[in-house]
Amino acid sequence: MSDDQFQRLLSVQDHDTRIDQLRHRLDTLPEQAALAASQQARQQVDNQRETKQVKRLELQRTLKRNEDELAALEDRAKREKDRLYSGEISGTRELLTLQEEVDGLRSRCSDMESDALELMEAIDEIETEVEALATGLESAETAVAAAQKELAEAKAVVRAEIDQESAARSTEAADIGEAALASYEDLRTRMGGVAVARLRNGTCEGCHLGLSAMELDRIRHAPADEVCHCEECGRILVRT
Ligand SMILES: [Zn+2]
């Protein structure tokens, strides 16, 4: 490999490292977490609304039952009262019994009317809560949409950077031999992403270990086009 190719390989490595960092950033964007938080908040409001709506329906059904029962009782009270004043019954004891029955029915009607009022008030209250939650849900949905937009924008920025780096990498890689590039790729996979390192002041910048004096001497005297590897980590060393 020529000196120029070594420099290009270093440059490819720099671009690859940068691309790895950008991909990591893409996977860990704070906008992603923000979106998840906003979706969770929306879900919470939605659940609360759902619970209130179910409760409202229960109350409405109870009220309906109450009203039906009340109507039946009122009918009965009216019929008994009509009988009381119809003149058909003449016995004092019978009349008294009937009067008591009418009074009892009326008292039950009055209790049921109070119950109905309480139920209506409770329904009104829950109605207000459901409306407030609907408004809350709208804002939560707006927040989710905003978070989605922010995430898409943040992703687009990083992806554009990745595209730029990839293009620059391709340009640099074009002039490196296929075999050297394949060995670089293979080494990169095994070495956690860094396959090429500068040899500076007797130290491999890949593993940060100093090379032995003997090895340094061997590398110094090796032909410039020879591919030398770090004796510690095995990375391709570029003499600087
Ligand atoms: Zn090394």
Side-chain angles (χ1 to χ4, degrees):
M1 265 169 75
S2 69
D3 195 37
D4 179 54
Q5 282 182 323
F6 276 118
Q7 291 308 317
R8 283 179 185 279
L9 197 58
L10 263 180
S11 183
V12 166
Q13 173 69 77
D14 286 345
H15 288 305
D16 278 340
T17 302
R18 181 86 187 117
I19 290 167
D20 285 346
Q21 287 166 346
L22 288 167
R23 286 203 177 122
H24 175 71
R25 193 194 291 174
L26 202 57
D27 291 340
T28 55
L29 283 172
E31 285 84 355
Q32 186 79 60
L35 173 62
S38 73
Q39 283 168 330
Q40 206 183 349
R42 177 187 57 184
Q43 191 59 53
Q44 229 167 4
V45 179
D46 205 17
N47 292 347
Q48 283 174 347
R49 195 180 63 144
E50 175 98 19
T51 308
K52 292 285 177 193
Q53 280 172 331
V54 169
K55 182 78 190 151
R56 179 179 60 184
L57 195 63
E58 277 172 18
L59 287 173
Q60 283 167 335
R61 281 182 184 148
T62 310
L63 179 61
K64 177 76 175 67
R65 266 202 310 275
N66 176 298
E67 283 168 346
D68 291 348
E69 245 176 86
L70 180 59
L73 268 182
E74 275 169 346
D75 268 2
R76 224 179 110 195
K78 193 178 171 298
R79 277 199 312 273
E80 301 294 307
K81 196 183 147 200
D82 287 349
R83 261 181 72 208
L84 187 63
Y85 295 109
S86 64
E88 286 165 20
I89 298 155
S90 50
T92 316
R93 178 165 292 190
E94 261 182 280
L95 281 171
L96 264 175
T97 311
L98 195 55
Q99 179 67 58
E100 272 170 20
E101 208 190 316
V102 169
D103 288 348
L105 285 168
R106 280 203 176 138
S107 158
R108 275 172 69 195
C109 284
S110 153
D111 285 350
M112 290 197 79
E113 274 163 9
S114 321
D115 287 351
L117 274 176
E118 271 176 34
L119 280 166
M120 281 185 241
E121 274 171 26
I123 290 170
D124 275 353
E125 228 169 86
I126 224 162
E127 198 78 54
T128 311
E129 286 171 344
V130 168
E131 274 168 28
L133 286 165
T135 310
L137 192 61
E138 265 175 45
S139 349
E141 262 156 17
T142 309
V144 169
Q148 274 166 336
K149 189 166 171 276
E150 273 171 35
L151 176 62
E153 282 167 2
K155 274 187 175 174
V157 169
V158 181
R159 283 196 181 121
E161 272 187 72
I162 291 176
D163 287 348
Q164 244 176 14
E165 289 291 337
S166 299
R169 183 213 190 267
S170 296
T171 310
E172 297 286 356
D175 285 338
I176 302 169
E178 225 170 272
L181 211 54
S183 129
Y184 158 79
E185 295 286 9
D186 173 54
L187 207 51
R188 209 172 92 78
T189 315
R190 287 188 283 122
M191 302 301 299
V194 181
V196 191
R198 287 178 179 83
L199 176 62
R200 197 169 276 164
N201 301 324
T203 300
C204 161
E205 290 197 337
C207 64
H208 304 286
L209 291 173
L211 275 71
S212 67
M214 214 171 79
E215 183 64 6
L216 277 175
D217 191 57
R218 194 191 68 75
I219 291 174
R220 200 169 294 132
H221 292 100
D225 61 348
E226 188 186 314
V227 179
C228 300
H229 292 268
C230 168
E231 60 181 345
E232 296 295 340
C233 67
R235 292 186 173 94
I236 298 166
L237 286 173
V238 176
R239 288 162 268 184
T240 53

